[in-house]
Amino acid sequence: MKTSRYIAAAAVGALAATLAACGGEGAEPDDGVVRLTFRQFDPADQIQGLVQAVDTWNADNPDIQVELETVTPNNPQQFAREANSGSGPDLIHIALADAAFLADPNILLPLDELMTEQPLEDADSLLATDMTILEETTWAIPWTADTMAMVYREDVLADAGVSGTPSDWPEMLDVAGQITDSSGGEVSGFCFAAGAQQQAAQWFAINYYMWNNDFQLIENNGGDWSVGATQDQLAGAIDYFNSFFTEGITPTSMQAITDYADPSVAAGLGDGTCAMTFMPPAAFRAVQEQVDAELLTAPMPGGLDDGSTHLGGRALGINANTEHQDEAWQVVQYLLSAETFETYDQYPASASTITQLDVDPAEQGFVDQLPHSVPFVRYIGAPITIASLQELVNQQFSAVYSGQSDSATAAQAIIDAIERELQG
Amino acid sequence: MTTRRTSLQAYLLSAPALVIVALLFLFPSIYNVILSLQEISPFQGPGDGEWIGLGNFEYVFGNPEFWAIARNTVFWLTALTVLLRIVFGLALAVALHSPVLRRWKVRGLARTLVLIPWMVPQVVAIASWRWLLDGSSGVLNQVLVGSGLTESGVAFLAQTSTVWWSIVAIIVWRELPFVVMVLLAGLQSIPDEQYEAASLDGAGRIRAFRSITVPNLRPVLTVVVLVTVIQTFNNFVYVWLTTGGGPGTYTAVLATELYSMAFFANKLGAGAAIGLVMTMIMAVFAVLYMRATRTEDQ
């Protein structure tokens, strides 16, 4: 009997100890060294330069050691869960479009005080600050910038008698058709990830097309949100992209892929069966390494028109729960410096730092387009999230490509769904 | 006195298990009900939501696509794949139980080979199938085009005529071994004497299958059907990783809709409402399962 009681008591004690351990933070050694965790979400093969930059910081600053933590893909909800429960990394890598979501529940540290005490060197030249400064409070600092540019095979275009990439969307369809026709259908003039999935890359091209034709999905009229496109405009955009499939320019198989750098796109660029596509700089570099052929970049159709392409990128934020605000801010300043970008292969979100970079000539398309790109701020703050818009648009365009719907019906479905969300 | 002490000891001994059950099963279920009655985003902390009564359920059921998504879940994802698994699983189990394999001394090898799909992690299996089914460079298309059966590649995952069948094929391939193994165990428990007696009475193989195998397997089949229904109805990864619900929303199911609602639209409450609806449907099957297994125990 006694033995059984001891066993029961021990079991309860062990359970309590286990649960207590679950809730506790790991103890830091008391050696005077501040240890910070910096969580970033880009794939490991794209951050070798960042790892090098962090190693340099750690070597130069023995009292402030930074541990780089990779959690990929981007998962701001996970950070929110941790921060809401009083934990999480000290420094966090944020997609520009997510800054507003993380600012709202006050889980990011407002940075204005730190910026006053220890000002940033080039604060005035930062890009996309309208995504990170909300209601006059700075919640994050724009760090890297990117956009989508055309990626193409110059030799394949030349074989079709095409001397350069198209400068506008109607020309895009003509040129892509010419390339496919002249190859007897062997070469896809334009290949792009046209999947229905929320992450499908076609979302960017569709928005670029809309913005270049002076309409957008939603618009903010002084805090009153409404649909920003007519049914005809949306149907026109759907018909435009569907033309690539109906005219045989883009293979139907592209309707099942999501990623701009999907292996089938990379393979097509490599063997010359895909003449043109689009992707951001990191994906371009990854594809460049996979293929033997020479790839070049150029601005998207209409990409040199102001506001016709998006300025994406990452920002840096500090967890409101950190016990080392000053040290975290010092690391942020280092990560924003030109020194970091000497090894970190990204474009800085700073107009002044970007000019100090020695850019590969093959990436000239990104460099030419970036000054004309604008953040997705036009969709920020609406009752419908960008992710939901993205999913809705990709699904409805995909429904037309696959013959489930016609363009007018799909356009109306987009409008109805947006109106439903805007009404709450 | 002794009885009371014994009773107290029983409670004490079972307390850790009860606490674990409460923490891991009861609390999440109750919290899900709470979330389904709140307007809350995944960025907000617990307790920051706003109570909105049944608003999330009205929102979910008001979605014009909800019923089509529910039909996909019930018919394509669950009913069809369970049916095919039972049919193919039974056929394979009978084949693996055959004395011929034992005579050829390949029974162990055959049973190991059947288990292979189950050993492959779901994500790896789906990635491999996506590669096989790729519309341009997929192995299946290379065979089809190379053998002259089709002029050009078939975009299996982009066409409405082929996409659901592709997903069904992946699920059946990956999940079939479980059904085979359970049914094989059922077959092995049938006494040989029953077949010998039937044979003496002049029953052929088909008659023996109908009159001995199927009745003996019925309890096992019932449990297998219920377990596979519960496993499949809630499954998220097969559709999500294969098509993401596309083309359009043609292959969307309740689990993918739940994810979209909670993590793209940031409507955690609406996602929880879908989860609750799914739980209630599955509760029916869970009760049936418990009744079936209780009958077996008795």
Side-chain angles (χ1 to χ4, degrees):
Chain A
M1 181 77 90
K2 268 188 173 176
T3 312
S4 304
R5 272 193 214 153
Y6 287 136
I7 292 169
V12 173
L15 179 68
T18 308
L19 294 173
C22 290
E25 291 278 331
E28 284 191 7
D30 186 18
D31 55 4
V33 176
V34 172
R35 290 178 174 78
L36 301 173
T37 303
F38 169 34
R39 180 181 295 169
Q40 73 85 39
F41 62 80
D42 283 326
D45 64 345
Q46 293 178 14
I47 59 158
Q48 289 96 336
L50 178 60
V51 172
Q52 214 176 322
V54 170
D55 286 346
T56 304
W57 166 273
N58 286 338
D60 294 346
N61 297 273
D63 294 339
I64 306 174
Q65 292 294 290
V66 177
E67 185 194 349
L68 190 62
E69 181 182 80
T70 295
V71 176
T72 189
N74 181 26
N75 191 343
Q77 288 99 344
Q78 181 176 329
F79 170 71
R81 280 194 293 275
E82 293 172 41
N84 274 314
S85 61
S87 60
D90 302 274
L91 284 161
I92 181 83
H93 189 205
I94 305 166
L96 281 172
D98 291 331
F101 295 124
L102 296 174
D104 190 43
N106 292 315
I107 52 179
L108 289 177
L109 183 74
L111 301 173
D112 303 282
E113 207 172 299
L114 288 166
M115 288 176 79
T116 309
E117 289 169 8
Q118 303 171 59
L120 287 172
E121 274 183 26
D122 284 318
D124 292 339
S125 67
L126 288 174
L127 303 168
T129 49
D130 40 3
M131 301 286 277
T132 55
I133 301 175
L134 303 163
E135 294 175 2
E136 298 179 2
T137 301
T138 305
W139 296 98
I141 307 290
W143 184 32
T144 63
D146 63 36
T147 187
M148 303 280 168
M150 295 288 292
V151 172
Y152 67 101
R153 286 274 303 260
E154 192 175 32
D155 54 333
V156 177
L157 265 63
D159 289 346
V162 176
S163 58
T165 53
S167 59
D168 58 34
W169 288 101
E171 190 187 348
M172 173 78 188
L173 190 57
D174 293 341
V175 166
Q178 184 183 333
I179 294 168
T180 299
D181 289 345
S182 67
S183 69
E186 292 295 311
V187 175
S188 165
F190 181 50
C191 48
F192 64 105
Q197 294 92 328
Q198 183 263 351
Q199 312 94 315
Q202 64 166 333
W203 157 257
F204 294 100
I206 291 167
N207 272 281
Y208 291 5
Y209 175 91
M210 290 193 289
W211 298 353
N212 197 236
N213 284 283
D214 296 325
F215 65 100
Q216 57 195 46
L217 288 166
I218 51 175
E219 57 192 15
N220 185 357
N221 311 302
D224 188 18
W225 290 89
S226 60
V227 179
T230 64
Q231 187 192 13
D232 284 346
Q233 285 173 321
L234 282 173
I238 295 170
D239 286 333
Y240 175 83
F241 283 96
N242 194 33
S243 300
F244 289 100
F245 296 108
T246 55
E247 294 181 18
I249 297 167
T250 305
T252 315
S253 58
M254 291 287 146
Q255 293 170 25
I257 68 167
T258 304
D259 191 9
Y260 19 65
D262 186 270
S264 59
V265 174
L269 286 168
D271 64 20
T273 54
C274 169
M276 297 187 286
T277 185
F278 62 89
M279 55 184 73
F284 173 68
R285 290 175 200 130
V287 172
Q288 251 185 331
E289 284 180 15
Q290 292 171 37
V291 304
D292 292 331
E294 188 190 4
L295 303 179
L296 294 177
T297 62
M300 292 291 286
L304 298 180
D305 298 338
D306 287 345
S308 288
T309 54
H310 95 289
L311 175 70
R314 317 282 188 244
L316 292 170
I318 298 178
N319 187 339
N321 299 312
T322 185
E323 292 172 359
H324 309 292
Q325 298 180 5
D326 290 332
E327 291 83 356
W329 180 245
Q330 287 176 45
V331 177
V332 168
Q333 287 181 307
Y334 167 74
L335 291 170
L336 288 163
S337 70
E339 188 184 350
T340 294
F341 288 97
E342 281 173 14
T343 58
Y344 189 29
D345 208 6
Q346 294 278 353
Y347 297 122
S350 158
S352 61
T353 314
I354 203 168
T355 55
Q356 299 170 31
L357 296 179
D358 184 18
V359 176
D360 179 350
E363 296 186 18
Q364 196 56 40
F366 297 107
V367 178
D368 291 343
Q369 186 175 291
L370 268 172
H372 304 280
S373 303
V374 292
F376 263 106
V377 71
R378 67 186 80 199
Y379 296 157
I380 295 288
I384 182 169
T385 63
I386 292 181
S388 283
L389 285 171
Q390 206 166 339
E391 185 176 47
L392 174 66
V393 165
N394 287 343
Q395 282 175 346
Q396 291 303 328
F397 275 62
S398 162
V400 176
Y401 304 154
S402 58
Q404 296 173 71
S405 182
D406 59 67
S407 59
T409 309
Q412 192 56 48
I414 292 173
I415 291 170
D416 290 346
I418 293 176
E419 281 178 342
R420 185 168 173 251
E421 293 301 317
L422 294 183
Q423 283 161 11
Chain B
M1 188 67 178
T2 310
T3 310
R4 187 184 287 177
R5 188 178 287 174
T6 309
S7 173
L8 184 69
Q9 187 188 11
Y11 281 120
L12 201 61
L13 283 169
S14 56
L18 291 173
V19 170
I20 290 174
V21 168
L23 279 173
L24 298 183
F25 300 102
L26 200 58
F27 171 71
S29 304
I30 294 170
Y31 188 52
N32 189 66
V33 175
I34 292 170
L35 285 177
S36 71
L37 302 173
Q38 290 186 335
E39 185 174 323
I40 184 169
S41 94
F43 297 99
Q44 291 175 291
D48 293 342
E50 184 189 338
W51 293 96
I52 56 167
L54 297 175
N56 285 320
F57 293 92
E58 286 171 22
Y59 176 81
V60 166
F61 291 125
N63 177 358
E65 292 187 340
F66 179 80
W67 297 108
I69 291 169
R71 269 198 305 276
N72 282 345
T73 313
V74 171
F75 176 71
W76 285 104
L77 182 68
T78 310
L80 189 59
T81 63
V82 169
L83 178 70
L84 290 174
R85 271 178 281 175
I86 296 298
V87 171
F88 290 128
L90 187 56
L92 258 176
V94 170
L96 289 175
H97 190 55
S98 148
V100 176
L101 292 179
R102 191 169 47 192
R103 272 205 301 276
W104 292 349
K105 295 181 179 170
V106 292
R107 182 178 270 187
L109 176 68
R111 289 180 183 180
T112 308
L113 289 176
V114 167
L115 276 178
I116 286 176
W118 213 31
M119 295 176 197
V120 179
Q122 283 182 342
V123 175
V124 176
I126 295 165
S128 306
W129 272 91
R130 277 189 61 95
W131 175 65
L132 281 172
L133 298 171
D134 185 90
S136 54
S137 57
V139 174
L140 189 54
N141 272 314
Q142 289 184 10
V143 171
L144 289 174
V145 175
S147 61
L149 285 171
T150 57
E151 280 185 20
S152 58
V154 179
F156 289 102
L157 300 177
Q159 298 179 168
T160 53
S161 55
T162 51
V163 67
W164 258 121
W165 290 109
S166 304
I167 295 172
V168 167
I170 298 171
I171 296 173
V172 171
W173 179 83
R174 170 62 176 64
E175 302 294 336
L176 192 61
F178 169 74
V179 177
V180 175
M181 286 301 127
V182 176
L183 293 182
L184 185 58
L187 285 173
Q188 286 168 336
S189 70
I190 302 173
D192 286 343
E193 289 80 2
Q194 290 189 16
Y195 290 104
E196 287 162 11
S199 175
L200 288 173
D201 289 343
R205 285 185 180 179
I206 294 175
R207 180 64 196 268
F209 181 79
R210 272 175 41 208
S211 303
I212 299 173
T213 309
V214 172
N216 273 293
L217 277 183
R218 193 164 290 141
V220 179
L221 276 169
T222 307
V223 171
V224 168
V225 167
L226 291 172
V227 168
T228 49
V229 163
I230 293 170
Q231 278 178 343
T232 316
F233 185 87
N234 289 329
N235 193 281
F236 168 75
V237 293
Y238 285 115
V239 168
W240 191 254
L241 296 181
T242 309
T243 64
T249 53
Y250 194 74
T251 60
V253 292
L254 287 173
T256 60
E257 183 65 4
L258 184 161
Y259 185 84
S260 295
M261 200 63 82
F263 299 112
F264 294 156
N266 287 344
K267 294 178 188 295
L268 205 54
I274 297 176
L276 198 59
V277 171
M278 292 172 72
T279 305
M280 289 167 80
I281 296 170
M282 281 305 96
V284 175
F285 286 91
V287 168
L288 290 174
Y289 171 76
M290 284 189 287
R291 284 186 62 178
T293 50
R294 192 174 57 196
T295 309
E296 278 308 286
D297 290 343
Q298 283 168 355

